[in-house]
Amino acid sequence: MTSEPAHTSRLGDILVKAHLISLEQLQIALAEQAFYTHKRLGDILVEHGWIHQKTADFFVNQWPNLLNEANSSKKRIGEYLIEAGLLAPEQIQEIMQEQQNNRLWRRFGAIVALKGWVPMSTVDLFLTHLFPEYAEDSPFTKPKQTKLT
């Protein structure tokens, strides 16, 4: 993996950093891409079943634009995870219901990770680059504003 900023990183580097694929899977896909030069890396990863097409498309087409729109009006993190094919709307509703009903309040990203739906490193990637103001907050305290859900 390179140490380039996320907005200039290649798809494989971003997916490894987010723990959506392993370094070994990336190396296999890159070797196949070197042999099948007409295939895109995302397509190879999808063919292996390591990621969904929606996830590859999101990180190729939308992610760079999101990072360049630093202070524009943002969606909630859950909406981005849906667009990336990492969560379903029903899962968002379940988390919101859980946040309302539990006596022990947990942040959206913490619940997603605890349920095993999305790796915490993926949540952290979204937080660090799209919501830096929340990146260092505790997963067990309510946010200053409620735009993350």
Side-chain angles (χ1 to χ4, degrees), residues 36-92:
Y36 300 107
T37 56
H38 65 283
K39 286 190 175 186
R40 298 180 313 162
L41 180 65
D43 293 335
I44 295 169
L45 295 167
V46 169
E47 287 173 8
H48 279 284
W50 295 330
I51 61 170
H52 297 286
Q53 186 66 54
K54 192 173 182 179
T55 305
D57 293 343
F58 175 84
F59 282 103
V60 168
N61 300 321
Q62 290 180 269
W63 187 252
N65 295 332
L66 292 173
L67 299 179
N68 290 329
E69 299 170 359
N71 292 322
S72 64
S73 62
K74 296 179 187 176
K75 299 176 186 178
R76 296 175 175 190
I77 191 170
E79 293 173 287
Y80 290 123
L81 293 172
I82 289 172
E83 289 177 11
L86 300 172
L87 284 181
E90 300 78 30
Q91 292 170 306
I92 303 289

Side-chain angles (χ1 to χ4, degrees), residues 20-30 41 45 50:
L20 294 172
I21 63 170
S22 69
L23 185 56
E24 293 77 20
Q25 290 169 325
L26 175 59
Q27 291 169 339
I28 291 167
L30 288 172
L41 180 65
L45 295 167
W50 295 330

Side-chain angles (χ1 to χ4, degrees), residues 21 32 93 113 138 141:
I21 63 170
E32 288 182 26
Q93 292 302 318
S138 166
T141 59

